[in-house]
């Protein structure tokens, strides 16, 4: 029966549930992805804001996706550190799994770059990448790889970086042969996150780029970066020999003082 509820109807169900059966107030929907819907809610007394994320109604009967959603909750609980929102509570609303987590009152890098038009120098881009790697190392140490480190899933608040959406995350496999990885985005080891971080770094670097020629060229030609930076990104993107670990990628970040233009 629940298969026939539209997502819209579920928005109302969530709203009524929050307002009538919990200590929170419903505020608004803040995100709609392919697997989930996120809402902003607030504590009725303290006015502190939180996020409720639910599974999309159309997936309600898909056992695999339900398990994936529960895995996302368990991973967030397992990670439990400052730069990843903690889960406060989880349950089901009319058989639809949901969880409530801390709200990061910041902006995604997608908003920062494309809405606010913020520009990042090479130095700033490398510093942000360093901070990102330091966070990623922490969950890699717990055997978790995020596999979706895109600009809408990385947030900036008060100069701090936060990572959300562990919907595609997985536990790392030990015996992945780096030479046999065909699709780095879906690799079940650290390579996936490094690959996404390579693209993330390119988004930061492109924030200062203004096309001069009509014809699109490769990022290497367009950005004209110092050779050490180009080589670094090429290693993240597996164009050159990959880093042997996330720690290796962190210690290999080119030092600004040593960059030759
Ligand atoms: N804890 C949070 N704090 C602040 N904003 C959040 C939080 N969680 C989610 N959001 C917002 O809601 C949006 C959707 O959340 P999320 O990416 O977790 O959902 P999703 O359905 O899995 O998305 P997709 O299917 O696109 O990956 C985010 O892009 C972000 O703008």
């Amino acid at each position: 029966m629940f298969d026939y509820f539209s997502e819209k109807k579920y928005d109302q169900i969530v709203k009524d549930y929050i307002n009538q059966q919990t200590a929170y107030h419903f505020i608004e929907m803040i995100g709609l992805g392919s697997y989930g819907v996120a809402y902003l809610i607030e504590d009725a007394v303290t006015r502190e804001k939180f996020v409720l994320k639910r599974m999309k109604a159309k997936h309600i009967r898909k056992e695999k996706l339900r398990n994936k959603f529960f895995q996302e909750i368990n991973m967030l609980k397992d990670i439990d550190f400052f730069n990843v929102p903690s889960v406060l509570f989880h349950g089901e609303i009319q058989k639809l799994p949901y969880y409530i987590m801390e709200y990061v009152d910041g902006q995604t890098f997608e908003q920062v770059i494309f809405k606010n038009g913020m520009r990042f120098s090479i130095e700033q881009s490398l510093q942000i990448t360093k901070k990102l790697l330091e966070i990623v190392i922490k969950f890699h140490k717990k055997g978790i790889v995020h596999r979706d480190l895109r600009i809408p899933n990385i947030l900036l608040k008060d100069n701090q970086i936060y990572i959300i959406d562990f919907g595609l995350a997985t536990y790392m496999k030990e015996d992945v042969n780096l030479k046999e990885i065909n699709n780095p985005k879906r690799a079940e080891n650290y390579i996936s996150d490094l690959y996404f971080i390579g693209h993330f770094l390119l988004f930061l670097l492109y924030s200062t780029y203004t096309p001069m020629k009509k014809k699109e060229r490769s990022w290497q030609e367009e950005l004209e970066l110092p050779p050490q930076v180009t080589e670094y990104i090429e290693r993240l993107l597996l164009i050159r020999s990959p880093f042997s670990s996330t720690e290796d990628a962190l210690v290999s970040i080119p030092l600004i003082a040593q960059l030759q233009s």
Side-chain angles (χ1 to χ4, degrees), residues 30-40 51 53-54 56 72 85 99 101-106 108 110-111 148 150 152-153 155 164-168:
I30 52 169
L32 176 70
S34 25
Y35 300 105
V37 187
Y39 306 93
L40 188 62
V51 171
K53 183 170 171 181
R54 69 160 170 91
K56 267 187 148 178
E72 178 179 343
Y99 63 91
M101 66 179 134
E102 289 173 330
Y103 170 56
V104 182
D105 189 6
T108 67
E110 189 171 42
Q111 294 167 323
D148 201 15
R150 293 176 298 116
N153 291 333
L155 279 72
I164 58 163
D165 195 3
F166 280 68
L168 292 176

Side-chain angles (χ1 to χ4, degrees), residues 211-227:
M212 302 296 274
K213 296 185 178 167
K214 271 191 187 153
K215 198 168 163 272
E216 208 175 291
R217 294 170 297 155
S218 69
W219 62 266
Q220 290 95 330
E221 289 168 315
E222 290 186 336
L223 292 175
E224 292 179 332
L225 299 163

